[in-house]
Amino acid sequence: MTSPLDGLAVDNPVLAAPMAGGPSTPALVVAAARANGLGFLAGGYKTADALAEQIAEVRRHDIAFGVNLFAPNPLPVDPEAFRRYAAAIAPEARVYELDIQAAEIVEDNDHWSDKIDLLLSAPVPVVSFTFAIPDTAVIASLRAAGTLVVQTVTSPAEARLAADAGADVLAVQASAAGGHSGTLTPERVPASVPLTDLLGQIREAVSLPLVAAGGLATPAGVAEALRAGAEAVMVGTVLLRADEAGTSLPHKAALADPKRRRTVVTRAFTGRPARALANRFTDHYSGLAPSGYPALHHLTRPMRQAAAAAGDPERINLWAGTGYRQATAEPAAQILRRLASHV
């Protein structure tokens, strides 16, 4: 099978995953290219103008790169459940003099149309989607503009839907991945299926090229995923402490803290399943959090921002996959080259 990387002059099959909320920076994308790989700007939580600025910064380096968007897949919150949860976590926000019980329910689409217009007016080499599969017309328009379209999937059923919608490549995300699950059905936590098994299941379901993601943090793990049928792999957690990453200082410190011994899948921060290092907030509120994205994301965001600024790791979302112990503080290009060393 022809690799999706062939047309992009990418020799390193270890790609830098998009990580919204700060970690994915233009510098990290450029570093991935310098390692003969490919990096993704994270369009999630940005306005179209802010994304355009980052794209312009990367374009100055004349490299191949990708952009990731959150495709709208609203999970409306029950208003009564929202109010109960706001009351439950209010003491955590009051530490930073925030009154989140007064917060309104915000249900938005993350500037979706504006970002699609941007990517059609000034096409980029690769666009990936997570959370939902865009309309076939959107995918067709991007492909007609010369953009390679990558769709995140977490099951064979999702893979078939993505193939039918016209995606060029599938990013196969296993449950070991850090941050949000790309599941199309966020009201249910995805089954815990090993990445190599998931690749095999999806390879039987569709014939599209596959990029493996989720828990990959060692050269041996990368080589195993490639042997299992992936044309490339995508890593995120292992780059969170990289020199070029925009990860907050308390998040970086938590990844290196030997006392942090487990990750959990939680809705506590955003109302959507996501894997993070366990902390005070996940321990106390995971069992109370209702489904509801993006409403819970907007509810907890002011608290998380204040906690990050204060260096408080117990009230921020410490997104991390199961390979977090392998995250190192060094140049990203060194990390990516090392991960490809057994290929």
Side-chain angles (χ1 to χ4, degrees):
M1 181 177 295
T2 302
S3 169
L5 308 179
D6 289 347
L8 300 171
V10 173
D11 298 323
N12 187 336
V14 184
L15 316 184
M19 296 177 284
S24 287
T25 62
L28 186 62
V29 171
V30 172
R34 298 294 181 244
N36 298 318
L38 182 80
F40 284 78
L41 292 171
Y45 308 135
K46 290 186 178 76
T47 65
D49 287 345
L51 178 59
E53 289 179 7
Q54 289 201 332
I55 290 173
E57 187 172 345
V58 172
R59 283 195 200 276
R60 286 197 288 271
H61 295 271
D62 192 26
I63 58 172
F65 67 99
V67 172
N68 173 261
L69 297 185
F70 293 161
N73 183 5
L75 188 60
V77 71
D78 175 80
E80 290 186 8
F82 179 88
R83 293 298 166 206
R84 285 196 300 271
Y85 191 59
I89 66 174
E92 307 295 340
R94 278 198 294 271
V95 170
Y96 295 105
E97 300 181 351
L98 298 169
D99 179 14
I100 62 173
Q101 283 187 266
E104 298 293 329
I105 294 175
V106 177
E107 306 279 13
D108 63 13
N109 67 1
D110 198 36
H111 309 285
W112 169 252
S113 297
D114 292 342
K115 292 175 193 175
I116 291 298
D117 289 346
L118 168 67
L119 295 174
L120 289 174
S121 63
V124 300
V126 185
V127 171
S128 69
F129 298 106
T130 192
F131 292 178
I133 300 172
D135 291 341
T136 55
V138 169
I139 294 175
S141 295
L142 288 167
R143 295 183 71 204
T147 297
L148 185 78
V149 175
V150 181
Q151 177 64 48
T152 304
V153 298
T154 64
S155 71
E158 293 179 357
R160 285 188 285 267
L161 290 172
D164 290 345
D168 295 300
V169 179
L170 302 182
V172 177
Q173 186 197 48
S175 60
H180 284 112
S181 169
T183 179
L184 305 185
T185 52
E187 64 275 11
R188 300 192 298 273
V189 175
S192 181
V193 179
L195 177 57
T196 52
D197 292 351
L198 185 59
L199 286 167
Q201 294 169 10
I202 290 178
R203 171 59 61 234
E204 291 182 3
V206 299
S207 59
L208 293 177
L210 308 181
V211 176
L216 294 171
T218 65
V222 168
E224 183 180 26
L226 295 174
R227 287 195 301 270
E231 278 73 42
V233 305
M234 197 177 287
V235 299
T237 299
V238 75
L239 294 170
L240 283 171
R241 296 180 62 212
D243 295 351
E244 299 87 353
T247 316
S248 71
L249 292 179
H251 192 171
K252 285 186 175 183
L255 290 161
D257 184 351
K259 296 191 293 294
R260 306 275 178 185
R261 296 179 179 174
R262 62 190 175 96
T263 63
V264 295
V265 176
T266 182
R267 300 181 190 275
F269 295 106
T270 68
R272 185 182 172 97
R275 186 176 292 279
L277 289 173
N279 62 3
R280 170 192 167 86
F281 202 84
T282 62
D283 288 349
H284 283 74
Y285 302 107
S286 291
L288 300 177
S291 294
Y293 181 90
L296 263 64
H297 159 72
H298 291 297
L299 174 68
T300 67
R301 191 177 194 181
M303 175 198 68
R304 291 182 281 132
Q305 290 176 329
D312 173 8
E314 300 304 329
R315 296 177 179 87
I316 61 175
N317 47 301
L318 301 170
W319 296 152
T322 57
Y324 70 94
R325 291 287 189 207
Q326 304 299 322
T328 50
E330 60 181 316
Q334 288 183 197
I335 297 170
L336 294 169
R337 290 192 183 103
R338 181 170 61 248
L339 288 170
S341 62
H342 292 184
V343 175

